[in-house]
Amino acid sequence: MPVIVANYLCAALLFCLGLFTLLTRRNLIKMVMGLSLMEASTYVLLLSLAYRPGSTAPVLLDMPPGKSPEQVADPVLQNFCLTAIVIGVAVTGVSLAVVVRLAQHYRTLDADEIRELRG
Amino acid sequence: MKERNHRPAVGWVCTLATAAVLAVVVFSLPRGTGPLPAIARYAMQVALPRWGTTEPVSEIVYGTRGFDTFGETFLLLAAVVGVAIVARSREARRGFIGEEVAGRREEAAVDKPDGPPSRDERVAERAEEQERGDESETAPDTPDRTPIGAPGPETAEAMTVVVRASVRFAAPILTIAGLYLVAVGYSPGGGFPAGAAMLGVALLAYVSLGYRRVEPVLRPDVVEPIELAGALAIAGLGLAGLLLAGSFLANILPLAAPETILSGGTMQAFSVVEFVEVATGLIIAVFGLLGMRDEWCR
């Protein structure tokens, strides 16, 4: 099995862990952590998709001898990973702020006890 | 406390189903043997001639896909504004709306200044006194002044002289490393990681020196105008490209020689403004979360 498939499996495993956390935990902080795990799995997946066997980093400065600008990891997917990280930070930040306010208002972190969240 | 599982059966079934789908998909994903996609090859080709930079990733982030980064920046700004609004303290009401006049008669009925204090009044007075007592017990500035053998958890805001000296040593190095990432735009780096490094410096200063020492620099009314000026500058750069060069965020600055600090034209300017934007945005969000006061519930 090629190494890169292990990377993909790792991303899938991280996603499933995050999903399981989100589905079975009712502690709001743990649910945000599950969401972050799912976000992290996209970083692993995007960077693994950028992989090319025997390639070098997509930097034109001091390209190693014997490598051409064609033999590089995909820079577009690295850009996507950067975008994903920023969006992950935004989602986590806003969720945590809301969680702190919920905890202050209802005196609990248990999503089941916050009855107004039931719909 | 043992945490109970919430609907474990549903959780397991959904997770295993997702895992099964992912497992099938994972083995049919590309394994990097194909050629680079056209857009990646395009980025590698135009990086040097069009933008004068040797860093294709930065070229994509701030050049070829600059509009994507533009949207991402404003998404981050929206999140920062959201955190700032949710985390903001309740503001003092301005002006007089007549509650004093309306309440005077009721107050006179309850509070008889001549009579002995009622039971409620005594309870309230005692509670007030106790609270005042809590406040007067101020902590020393740093734990260095705490007498040896003093009880209890440390209450000082700053950390010990060892930590403060280490941070004073490390913070300038980290600052320069962060600025290097954004200034030397022709090698990997750029505004996003540099902004995150600045947040790290701010947090180091905060935990070691205490909020009172960093407050003059990191107060919201200092950082927020800088953040919004950065957002305006990004929009201005984009519009200038649209007006002068025909497309949003197109290069309008003269290209310097490659592998110099000024190389990259508009791309490098965008990266620097993005650094300001990310650093101040993260600082507002994190310090907003740290400074959330418990005041909504009473």
Side-chain angles (χ1 to χ4, degrees):
Chain A
M1 189 173 72
V3 169
I4 198 63
V5 175
N7 267 31
Y8 293 152
L9 285 175
C10 183
L13 184 71
L14 272 178
F15 187 87
C16 290
L17 271 176
L19 185 67
F20 187 72
T21 312
L22 204 57
L23 288 173
T24 60
R25 301 291 119 161
R26 292 290 93 182
N27 184 318
L28 288 167
I29 300 274
K30 290 183 182 172
M31 288 167 80
V32 174
M33 286 166 84
L35 213 58
S36 295
L37 267 181
M38 289 163 84
E39 281 156 8
S41 78
T42 61
Y43 313 154
V44 178
L45 182 71
L46 285 171
L47 283 185
S48 309
L49 280 172
Y51 167 80
R52 294 282 178 285
S55 66
T56 180
V59 180
L60 299 170
L61 178 70
D62 296 334
M63 184 79 64
K67 301 282 183 196
S68 77
E70 295 280 307
Q71 291 170 298
V72 293
D74 191 339
V76 178
L77 289 164
Q78 300 193 350
N79 165 35
F80 286 170
C81 183
L82 201 59
T83 308
I85 291 173
V86 172
I87 292 174
V89 167
V91 169
T92 311
V94 174
S95 327
L96 282 179
V98 172
V99 165
V100 173
R101 282 302 184 212
L102 278 175
Q104 289 178 353
H105 193 74
Y106 293 99
R107 296 272 145 209
T108 178
L109 274 173
D110 192 330
D112 273 348
E113 285 179 29
I114 302 172
R115 304 189 64 89
E116 277 85 346
L117 274 187
R118 290 192 186 161
Chain B
M1 190 182 78
K2 175 86 177 71
E3 195 190 359
R4 68 203 154 79
N5 266 349
H6 173 79
R7 287 188 285 210
V10 178
W12 276 112
V13 168
C14 290
T15 309
L16 287 179
T18 313
V21 173
L22 287 178
V24 173
V25 174
V26 152
F27 285 96
S28 58
L29 278 175
R31 299 188 184 176
T33 45
L36 277 182
I39 179 173
R41 260 180 286 134
Y42 174 78
M44 297 296 290
Q45 282 158 10
V46 301
L48 208 46
R50 187 181 294 175
W51 297 92
T53 184
T54 48
E55 227 293 87
V57 178
S58 285
E59 190 274 324
I60 292 168
V61 173
Y62 304 110
T64 317
R65 293 185 57 85
F67 191 58
D68 182 46
T69 309
F70 176 79
E72 180 189 335
T73 308
F74 281 83
L75 187 145
L76 184 68
L77 181 65
V80 167
V81 171
V83 172
I85 288 174
V86 175
R88 181 137 295 178
S89 312
R90 188 162 50 191
E91 282 171 24
R93 192 176 56 209
R94 279 161 211 224
F96 170 69
I97 57 169
E99 71 274 33
E100 208 181 320
V101 174
R104 198 167 289 155
R105 196 191 301 158
E106 199 178 330
E107 197 185 330
V110 174
D111 181 30
K112 296 188 181 67
D114 304 332
S118 71
R119 197 175 140 271
D120 285 354
E121 213 172 323
R122 263 178 284 136
V123 171
E125 259 168 27
R126 214 175 304 135
E128 224 167 272
E129 246 165 59
Q130 200 180 342
E131 267 176 34
R132 226 175 281 135
D134 287 349
E135 266 170 36
S136 65
E137 203 179 287
T138 47
D141 280 352
T142 66
D144 304 331
R145 299 234 190 101
T146 314
I148 292 171
E154 255 169 27
T155 47
E157 204 178 87
M159 292 175 92
T160 62
V161 66
V162 179
V163 183
R164 279 180 285 135
S166 318
V167 169
R168 275 180 213 279
F169 179 73
I173 298 176
L174 276 173
T175 310
I176 290 169
L179 292 177
Y180 172 86
L181 278 178
V182 63
V184 186
Y186 57 86
S187 66
F192 287 101
M198 280 308 114
L199 171 69
V201 173
L203 281 177
L204 269 182
Y206 163 72
V207 289
S208 61
L209 307 178
Y211 187 66
R212 250 171 290 168
R213 297 294 303 279
V214 297
E215 198 200 358
V217 189
L218 300 179
R219 262 199 339 262
D221 54 340
V222 173
V223 185
E224 279 168 11
I226 303 177
E227 160 96 356
L228 292 175
L232 262 183
I234 290 176
L237 266 180
L239 288 177
L242 189 62
L243 291 176
L244 300 177
S247 75
F248 197 75
L249 282 169
N251 187 29
I252 48 164
L253 299 174
L255 293 180
E259 299 181 20
T260 59
I261 281 184
L262 289 177
S263 67
T266 301
M267 191 209 94
Q268 181 61 7
F270 189 4
S271 175
V272 170
V273 187
E274 187 70 56
F275 159 70
V276 174
E277 187 71 10
V278 170
T280 52
L282 290 179
I283 285 173
I284 292 171
V286 170
F287 280 89
L289 277 170
L290 286 172
M292 276 171 94
R293 302 219 177 281
D294 189 356
E295 59 184 13
W296 278 23
C297 47
R298 277 166 222 147

